Amino acid sequence: MKIDLTDTNSSKINAALIDARRAIGTATVGMVLTLVIVTDEGSAYDALKAASDASREHPSRILAVIRRPGRSPRARSQARLDAEVRVGSDSGTGETVVLRLHGELAGQAQSVVLPLLLPDAPVVVWWPENAPADPAKDPLGALAQRRITDAVTAENPVDQLAARAASYAPGDTDLAWTRITPWRSMLAAALDQKHVTVDSATVEGESYNPSTELLALWLAERLSIKVERKVSQGPGITAVRMHTADGDVCLDRPDGLLAKLSMPGQPDRMVALKRRETSELIAEELRRLDPDLIYASAVRYGVENLHSTSSTREVVDAPEAAPAAPAKAAKKSTASASRTQK
């Protein structure tokens, strides 16, 4: 069911939501959170589709905020709110409100969104593109318990990671980090199976891929080792090699679908490591709303080294430390895998 409202306000939108729910015989008690998507017309369709698919796992009220300040002085001086209410099959398992803010109202999105939030429910804000420099201090970000950005959409993803580290606040996360959850799970499980001391590591992936940089930072921070960043043709991350005295522990994925796990003294194994859709990434992030401390420590670790990337490789150096015992390395890997339980 769809309801179009022109030159409206938040009160009328709430009334339209109630009328729509009554018309199709559903209630709002099944909603577990409010997901606010801050986007533009060009990205709205893909973002709403991903959020709608994710709502099948997390029934939610989706508020899509589309700013249209206008090009002419006259258009910028006017203020108008247009809305599209979708309930039922048109909005997955939740309900969706598309908000188009015209003129001066484009700068006051928080005043429009606030009355539409579900009472006593968590709020998540997602910027598919053009995220603010400091999400926690953004007027919309300040309303949320969880703030999701995506460094891969930035003009320079590596610089974007440095900005995320500088402005990090509890509740911040990035889809570049979510994309490496299966990699971290596989690598941690490999070290749990074979208790060895990792001396150094190599991470291979596409140039300017923020997920590759985050995976290198995570390994360097958790294992206190040197991690060499090598550029490959992709897609995405293609290989991780952890160098030990017994040989390399290697997770190699050349095609973006299937990976080969090689460990010293064990036969090679093929594991599923498919690149995931945006809807799967959003669904994963909505499984937990507490601060992601592992992400915080990874994105902050060695960020100053991100700007020293050459055209072929980047080296992230850990602080000088005594070699860790094998049991200690395995313990760290197990702790790192906790993020995958979201």
Side-chain angles (χ1 to χ4, degrees):
M1 181 176 183
K2 294 183 180 180
I3 301 175
D4 290 322
L5 302 172
T6 302
D7 197 6
T8 186
N9 55 46
S10 298
S11 178
K12 293 179 181 178
I13 295 172
N14 266 320
L17 283 168
I18 295 172
D19 292 342
R21 287 196 300 267
R22 287 175 178 170
I24 64 174
T26 62
T28 188
V29 292
M31 308 297 167
V32 298
L33 57 88
T34 302
L35 175 61
V36 181
I37 306 173
V38 187
T39 183
D40 54 25
E41 293 286 2
S43 304
Y45 176 82
D46 291 336
L48 283 170
K49 185 179 184 303
S52 179
D53 291 343
S55 74
R56 303 184 189 282
E57 181 178 339
H58 308 278
S60 55
R61 175 176 290 180
I62 301 170
L63 305 177
V65 178
I66 301 175
R67 294 185 173 98
R68 303 184 68 175
R71 298 179 179 180
S72 67
R74 180 179 180 181
R76 289 193 295 268
S77 65
Q78 297 175 350
R80 190 179 86 246
L81 171 62
D82 296 335
E84 180 183 334
V85 177
R86 307 176 187 175
V87 178
S89 59
D90 293 310
S91 184
T93 59
E95 54 192 25
T96 299
V97 181
V98 181
L99 304 167
R100 289 182 172 85
L101 284 61
H102 299 264
E104 293 181 347
L105 193 60
Q108 302 296 325
Q110 71 280 4
S111 64
V112 177
V113 168
L114 186 59
L116 300 176
L117 301 178
L118 289 173
D120 302 322
V123 179
V124 179
V125 177
W126 171 32
W127 290 269
E129 294 182 358
N130 302 319
D134 193 338
K137 293 183 179 179
D138 181 83
L140 284 174
L143 301 175
Q145 286 76 42
R146 193 78 161 158
R147 295 166 293 275
I148 305 173
T149 56
D150 195 353
V152 76
T153 62
E155 183 176 353
N156 190 323
V158 175
D159 286 347
Q160 189 74 359
L161 285 183
R164 291 287 155 258
S167 65
Y168 176 82
D172 289 356
T173 191
D174 196 281
L175 293 186
W177 172 254
T178 318
R179 291 183 181 97
I180 65 173
T181 299
W183 284 88
R184 294 186 291 114
S185 177
M186 292 287 185
L187 294 172
L191 290 186
D192 282 341
Q193 294 176 40
K194 189 173 184 63
H195 293 184
V196 294
T197 300
V198 179
D199 301 319
S200 62
T202 302
V203 178
E204 300 179 7
E206 288 178 307
S207 178
Y208 300 107
N209 185 318
S211 295
T212 309
E213 314 298 336
L214 278 173
L215 186 56
L217 290 173
W218 173 73
L219 285 170
E221 192 274 332
R222 300 307 293 176
L223 297 177
S224 298
I225 58 174
K226 292 184 178 181
V227 179
E228 182 180 4
R229 165 73 166 93
K230 289 187 176 181
V231 175
S232 69
Q233 297 300 313
I237 304 171
T238 54
V240 175
R241 292 177 174 82
M242 296 185 291
H243 311 299
T244 73
D246 297 336
D248 289 355
V249 177
C250 177
L251 187 59
D252 187 12
R253 186 192 67 177
D255 59 359
L257 296 173
L258 200 63
K260 180 173 70 175
L261 177 62
S262 304
M263 301 178 63
Q266 298 186 18
D268 294 348
R269 285 170 287 176
M270 305 305 294
V271 295
L273 205 58
K274 180 180 178 292
R275 303 187 75 190
R276 297 182 293 168
E277 301 290 337
T278 304
S279 58
E280 298 176 75
L281 304 177
I282 293 296
E284 179 184 329
E285 285 299 337
L286 296 181
R287 287 177 201 145
R288 58 176 294 178
L289 300 176
D290 55 317
D292 190 343
L293 302 180
I294 303 299
Y295 164 71
S297 59
V299 76
R300 286 172 167 172
Y301 183 85
V303 171
E304 66 277 4
N305 296 321
L306 294 175
H307 296 281
S308 64
T309 306
S310 68
S311 59
T312 57
R313 67 180 57 185
E314 172 186 18
V315 177
V316 182
D317 292 335
E320 293 296 330
K328 183 177 180 181
K331 182 178 179 181
K332 286 188 175 183
S333 69
T334 304
S336 304
S338 63
R339 177 65 168 83
T340 67
Q341 302 301 318
K342 304 185 298 176

